[in-house]
Structures are given as C-alpha cells and as structure tokens.
Amino acid sequence: MIHTASISWAERATKLSARAKSSSSVNFKAVDFLSDDHLCGLNSNNRVTCYDWSMNLVDLPDSVVGFQSPSEVLASESAVCGFDVDGVKCLFQDRARIKLRELLNESDPKLTGAHGANVCGVNAKTGILRCLVPDWYNFSRRSFRVQPKNKITAIGVGVSTICWSDGNVINCQTQNETRALPFNGAFEILTTPNICARSATEAKCWNWDNTPVALSSEFLTAKKWLSDLYSTFGAITSDNRFVVLDMTTGAARPAGSLNIPPVFEQPGSTLVDVWMGDYQRFCSVDTNSTVQCWRGYASGLYGV
C-alpha cells in the first residue's frame, strides 16, 4: 500500500530538486508511477526502480523486472501492480481490500486499467469485464461483471466512471447511473476529466451532458493519450510534441499552456514519456533519461 506523505507537493518538489543537485542516480527510460511519496520508472537495465520523496531507493522484490506495455504499471490507491515479463507482479499491495492479483491473472493485459481504488480487466478466455470498485459508497456492490453483446475492444477506468466498448457503442457505469455513447470500434478510452475515445478513423470526447466534441488530427494520430484526475487531457503527438486539449475546440491549446517546457512543444523533440498526476502535476523523461517535473499552475522546472 502506498501511504501519502505528510508533506505537501510543493515541499516535496523542493526536497527533490535540492537532492537532485548532488545525485545523478535517477536514470529512467520511462516514468511509470508517481505519488506524493514514490517515484517509479524503468531504468536503463529495463528493471523497475523506485525512490521515496528523499530520493532513497525503495526496496522491491527481486522478482520484479520490467513492466510491459501496454499495461505499464496499474497504479491505484490499493496497489501498484502490472504485467511483468513472466507474469503479474505487485510492488505494493493492500491484500485485505481487493483480490487484485486474481483479477489480473485472469485478464488480458491489453484490456486492463486502474484509477483511484478501481481496477478492471477483461477475462482473456470468457471476454467478461470484471471491475473492483471498493470506494463506490453509493454503488450497491463493491464489484460488478459485464457480459458484452460484442467483443470488448477497449476499456477506460476512472475514479467515478468506468467505460467499455461494445460494438458501435461505448457503455459507461458510474456510481449512480449508466450511459451509452454512440461510437464504433474504439481501441482506446479515457474517462477523466471527460470521456474520450478513438478508433482508426475518429477521435471524440463527450462533456458531462453527453455533447460530443470531435478532436483534431493530432489527437487522432497521437502516439499516446494521457490524462489527470481533474482537468487535463494530453497527448504525445506523432511528431513527438506534448499537447493538451482545449475541450471547446477539440484542438490543442496554444504553445505555453500549463507551463509545458518549450523544448517539448517542438516537432522532433527529445521527449520519450510524460506522466500526469492530480492537480496539473507533470513529469517527463527524455532521450537522455533525464526526468523533469513541473506544475501547470506555476512556472519553473525542478529536476528529479
């Protein structure tokens, strides 16, 4: 279980920046997970490495090697697990709350997801969607199963919304209601801050009232979609820029938005990966394995 540190994010950032000046031990190929007290990523040897907020190495099981795409690390409030090179492995897990390992062992790695305390996976043999929702206090059950009419091709897991593709519709379950959004052949779904999906031919988001917004081509063809919990949807474009979505227009916000480093707004940048956390927190890793973090609401970088 990852326990939240008592220090604020700003205090943590100051400590990380100060420590980084005297240490060059962080050498990530990708940022997999970041909380208020842990930073994890793949190092140059393709092994998972984690640091605490003081930049001390966190002891991990020797059996954990490198989490594989597309699962990377399934980080939730209850556990940090993923599909390792030879099976499901957990870095941190609250075994008393949910049977996460059992769910992952049964699930297709390409059809799994986690957000908050919620974790979902599509059974690799039966095609049934199974979700664990321990914190949905207004929901009648702490888990649910769905037998789709068609083969599920994508799922999206959020704190309060879980969606899955079912033929020409995206079905969504919340604590209090269900939604059905017309969309055919989705291969990716994100549920925060809005419900967004893309297929081979279109990309679209829906506002809270189900109003659709068509996304520009740079989001349709992006290498990676990512979002935080509250307000920001972003992408790494096909020409290697980091952009954030303007939900009003369906296009990218102007350069300089959310204090994105200018170097990552240029085509052909050195950007490799970006992690997005709550309250507009961002961390990037570049081709030199350098990790940089920034806040969308305050200028300035701090190195990790």
Side-chain angles (χ1 to χ4, degrees), residues 231-280:
S231 62
T232 308
F233 173 89
I236 299 176
T237 65
S238 59
D239 59 0
N240 230 49
R241 294 174 292 118
F242 179 47
V243 296
V244 290
L245 176 67
D246 182 334
M247 266 296 293
T248 302
T249 65
R253 295 186 186 183
S257 299
L258 298 184
N259 297 305
I260 298 173
V263 65
F264 295 147
E265 296 181 318
Q266 305 300 317
S269 77
T270 59
L271 181 66
V272 172
D273 199 11
V274 177
W275 180 91
M276 293 173 62
D278 302 348
Y279 303 111
Q280 296 182 352

Side-chain angles (χ1 to χ4, degrees), residues 11-180:
E11 291 171 325
R12 178 178 180 271
T14 301
K15 292 177 180 292
L16 287 176
S17 182
R19 184 65 179 255
K21 293 178 181 178
S22 59
S23 172
S24 58
S25 59
V26 177
N27 184 28
F28 285 155
K29 295 172 63 177
V31 178
D32 278 331
F33 177 71
L34 183 66
S35 73
D36 276 344
D37 58 350
H38 284 94
L39 170 69
C40 300
L42 288 182
N43 64 24
S44 57
N45 295 321
N46 290 319
R47 296 189 68 90
V48 176
T49 305
C50 294
Y51 297 84
D52 63 19
W53 61 267
S54 295
M55 294 311 297
N56 297 314
L57 277 169
V58 176
D59 290 333
L60 300 177
D62 290 338
S63 60
V64 175
V65 185
F67 288 117
Q68 295 181 314
S69 294
S71 69
E72 295 181 343
V73 173
L74 298 174
S76 77
E77 294 174 1
S78 300
V80 176
C81 299
F83 293 88
D84 194 61
V85 293
D86 58 350
V88 174
K89 301 289 179 64
C90 293
L91 307 183
F92 314 95
Q93 184 176 20
D94 183 352
R95 300 170 187 267
R97 296 189 64 192
I98 58 175
K99 296 180 179 180
L100 177 60
R101 190 185 296 272
E102 176 185 341
L103 183 150
L104 294 182
N105 279 324
E106 299 171 348
S107 298
D108 181 343
K110 296 180 181 179
L111 295 172
T112 57
H115 210 149
N118 304 327
V119 186
C120 295
V122 176
N123 189 290
K125 294 182 179 179
T126 66
I128 293 174
L129 171 67
R130 178 188 175 192
C131 293
L132 305 171
V133 290
D135 285 348
W136 282 21
Y137 297 115
N138 296 327
F139 197 61
S140 60
R141 296 161 291 169
R142 291 208 160 200
S143 65
F144 65 87
R145 295 172 184 261
V146 173
Q147 177 67 68
K149 295 180 180 180
N150 303 279
K151 182 179 179 181
I152 294 175
T153 55
I155 66 171
V157 183
V159 171
S160 59
T161 304
I162 292 169
C163 300
W164 60 96
S165 65
D166 192 342
N168 61 358
V169 67
I170 293 175
N171 292 310
C172 296
Q173 176 69 60
T174 73
Q175 296 190 54
N176 302 309
E177 64 177 353
T178 60
R179 301 169 67 182

Side-chain angles (χ1 to χ4, degrees), residues 8 24 38 44 72 130 163 180-181 189 198-199 206 228 237 272 284-285 289:
S8 69
S24 58
H38 284 94
S44 57
E72 295 181 343
R130 178 188 175 192
C163 300
L181 305 170
I189 303 172
R198 61 172 163 167
S199 67
W206 291 265
D228 66 6
T237 65
V272 172
S284 65
V285 60
S289 299

